[in-house]
Amino acid sequence: MTKQIALSALIVPPGNTTGAWRHPDVDPAMVTDVEQYKQMAQLAERGFFDLFFLADTPATRTDNLEYWSQSPMYFNSLEPLTVLSAVAGATQHIGLGATASTSFVEPFNIARMFASLDHISHGRAAWNVVTSANDYAARNFGQAKLAPHDERYVMAEEAFDVVSSYWDTWEDDAFVYDKENAVNFDPSKFHVVDHDGKFFRVYGGLPIARPPQGWPVIIQAGASVPGKELAARTAEVVFGTGSSVEAAKAFYDDLKGRMEKYGRHPDELKVLSGLQVIVGRTEAEAIEKRELMDSLVPIGAKIMHLCNDLETSLFDLPLDEPVPLDRIPEKSNHHQVYFAEAADLIRQGLTLREVAMRFTRATTVFCGDPVQVADHLQDWVDQGAGDGFMMSVNWLPGNLADFVELAIPELQRRGMVRTEWTGSTLRENLGLARPANQHVKS
């Protein structure tokens, strides 16, 4: 019997493809219109998505602007937690996820921002733990470049421990609001955060009651060995990788196999495979939609994104000749999975144009009618390649609206997507336990 899946919408207005802003049905100015975000979240909620996730980077590209102007992802975007606080008031059930980088944001600020969002949304917040993956971000914070990859993950692990300790500053019933006896809170249920580590030294506490979920849901997306170790120890949702069922299953089994040594059960973590779906009323209509999207990105912009993830420039090379193998850097300090995909395409002897056209950042792209889409998703889950999907929405709101209108009813018919909300928090809807306060003996 096919299990019910978890669904997350990955939102990067006006769409998570490099040419989305040029789509004839897209308003590029939507990126700073909070009303549009509210409407998109409401649409995802009507489709019973578990999570509305806003992707983000604390970076601004400062070079090759003529190419970035053709494909301006993250050049004009609102701060995600501010947006999600507004979205919380326009929705009732859907989870609200955002990124905060442990490389640049202090643990106290992370803890306070996400605790606040959890209170504002009545228990629907999720934190995506990232280390950041480009030097543009480092330079925004006064650094010449990112710290080495593995060091960033050591720092992330320590940051997580401090953040979670802040969330446990107060026991659940610490605030008693006893007016008669002039006792606002029980002092015995306050716990000082006292940490002296390699990267952080703090002594204090969080000035806000424990979040409704205990802790906001923890998301992680790293696919390197340090990333998988961090996820196995801390994450409750992981954005999985794999451009095929076989690769995704290998990632799934590897990650869940690492959990036991941290005293965790595999069911305590949901792996959501990255997926782009273009659905039409017919397969031909879906293919036509994809062809339109592919036509909107100039080849120069595609090469720019390829170079960004390969961490080197290839613009001096001819378009229609194979990329020399010696142009592949020895190693990556940014996104290791994307780097590996780009390097593998080059090793196949493809031309620069072919590499740029085929490079998908390890995301599966599927086109089809509602039955074909549902068959693909069902087969993926039945083969043990994931617990659900992180749907990367290609253009907004049309691609999301198509999925909700056309694919969701077929998935519901098969029992893969709920038809009603059963929980009041994101944790409850995902079937995740509420963490106990680490300072309270059970």
Side-chain angles (χ1 to χ4, degrees):
M1 180 179 177
T2 297
K3 64 182 179 181
Q4 184 172 297
I5 62 174
L7 278 177
S8 175
L10 174 61
I11 304 295
V12 186
N16 196 27
T17 50
T18 52
W21 72 279
R22 299 181 65 204
H23 193 285
D25 297 333
V26 165
D27 174 13
M30 72 181 296
V31 294
T32 54
D33 183 354
V34 73
E35 297 304 319
Q36 297 260 20
Y37 288 82
K38 292 178 183 178
Q39 292 167 18
M40 289 185 288
Q42 290 168 343
L43 174 61
E45 189 170 67
R46 287 199 299 274
F48 291 94
F49 276 77
D50 295 282
L51 182 65
F52 181 80
F53 178 77
L54 292 181
D56 184 53
T57 176
T60 304
R61 275 71 178 177
T62 54
D63 50 17
N64 297 305
L65 294 182
E66 65 275 19
Y67 292 112
W68 290 116
S69 71
Q70 299 170 1
S71 178
M73 293 179 68
Y74 303 115
F75 269 83
N76 184 16
S77 57
L78 298 175
E79 192 283 312
L81 275 94
T82 305
V83 173
L84 292 177
S85 294
V87 167
T91 55
Q92 292 182 301
H93 305 286
I94 194 166
L96 306 173
T99 290
S101 174
T102 56
S103 297
F104 305 119
V105 186
E106 290 291 331
F108 172 85
N109 289 332
I110 293 174
R112 192 180 193 189
M113 290 187 296
F114 281 92
S116 295
L117 180 61
D118 208 47
H119 280 284
I120 291 167
S121 65
H122 305 292
R124 294 185 282 137
W127 170 34
N128 183 32
V129 183
V130 302
T131 68
S132 293
N134 64 70
D135 291 332
Y136 299 105
R139 291 193 285 269
N140 261 347
F141 292 87
Q143 303 172 22
K145 61 181 181 178
L146 289 174
H149 179 275
D150 290 2
E151 181 179 316
R152 298 200 308 272
Y153 275 91
V154 174
M155 183 177 184
E157 187 163 356
E158 183 179 338
F160 171 82
D161 290 341
V162 179
V163 170
S164 59
S165 186
Y166 272 123
W167 284 331
D168 287 343
T169 297
W170 301 93
E171 296 180 27
D172 289 319
D173 56 352
F175 288 89
V176 296
Y177 304 122
D178 184 347
K179 295 182 180 180
E180 182 176 350
N181 294 302
V183 178
N184 184 277
F185 61 85
D186 183 343
S188 70
K189 297 185 177 183
F190 172 87
H191 302 278
V192 170
V193 178
D194 186 359
H195 176 90
D196 189 356
K198 179 178 179 180
F199 297 99
F200 304 104
R201 183 178 183 181
V202 302
Y203 185 90
L206 198 65
I208 185 172
R210 195 165 190 249
Q213 295 185 103
W215 302 352
V217 171
I218 304 301
I219 304 172
Q220 220 269 322
S224 63
V225 171
K228 285 185 282 191
E229 288 296 331
L230 178 65
R233 175 177 174 251
T234 67
E236 296 163 304
V237 172
V238 166
F239 299 156
T241 62
S243 55
S244 66
V245 170
E246 295 75 19
K249 188 177 188 316
F251 174 84
Y252 183 94
D253 293 341
D254 179 21
L255 177 58
K256 295 219 171 186
R258 296 171 185 265
M259 296 177 68
E260 184 178 3
K261 63 187 173 188
Y262 297 109
R264 301 183 68 201
H265 189 278
D267 290 345
E268 295 176 42
L269 185 154
K270 306 287 185 183
V271 176
L272 306 188
S273 298
L275 180 71
Q276 294 181 34
V277 172
I278 300 177
V279 60
R281 289 173 175 79
T282 65
E283 181 181 15
E285 181 182 272
I287 292 172
E288 184 179 350
K289 290 178 180 180
R290 179 174 182 177
E291 290 175 344
L292 171 61
M293 282 303 309
D294 288 343
S295 72
L296 298 176
V297 188
I299 188 63
K302 287 181 180 290
I303 294 172
M304 185 70 257
H305 284 276
L306 170 69
C307 294
N308 197 50
D309 285 325
L310 193 62
E311 301 174 40
T312 190
S313 177
L314 303 175
F315 278 105
D316 60 305
L317 298 177
L319 268 175
D320 296 308
E321 294 181 14
V323 179
L325 296 183
D326 62 8
R327 298 302 293 271
I328 302 173
E330 291 185 7
K331 62 180 180 179
S332 165
N333 193 39
H334 298 170
H335 285 294
Q336 294 196 358
V337 169
Y338 305 155
F339 177 92
E341 180 192 354
D344 181 63
L345 290 169
I346 292 172
R347 292 188 183 103
Q348 293 176 33
L350 301 177
T351 67
L352 177 57
R353 186 191 304 273
E354 290 169 333
V355 173
M357 294 296 291
R358 297 187 190 186
F359 182 62
T360 65
R361 302 193 95 196
T363 300
T364 299
V365 184
F366 187 83
C367 297
D369 63 31
V371 172
Q372 290 172 318
V373 168
D375 285 346
H376 181 72
L377 270 59
Q378 184 170 3
D379 179 64
W380 193 278
V381 173
D382 285 351
Q383 291 197 48
D387 301 305
F389 299 92
M390 165 59 79
M391 180 181 165
S392 181
V393 184
N394 286 348
W395 72 93
L396 289 161
N399 187 214
L400 180 60
D402 287 345
F403 192 85
V404 170
E405 177 185 350
L406 301 174
I408 289 295
E410 177 62 23
L411 293 168
Q412 290 175 320
R413 188 187 68 78
R414 302 180 186 207
M416 296 175 65
V417 172
R418 64 167 57 89
T419 57
E420 62 180 0
W421 296 99
T422 55
S424 60
T425 69
L426 176 58
R427 285 187 174 280
E428 291 173 356
N429 285 319
L430 289 175
L432 299 171
R434 187 177 188 272
N437 191 309
Q438 59 195 288
H439 302 299
V440 179
K441 295 181 180 180
S442 58

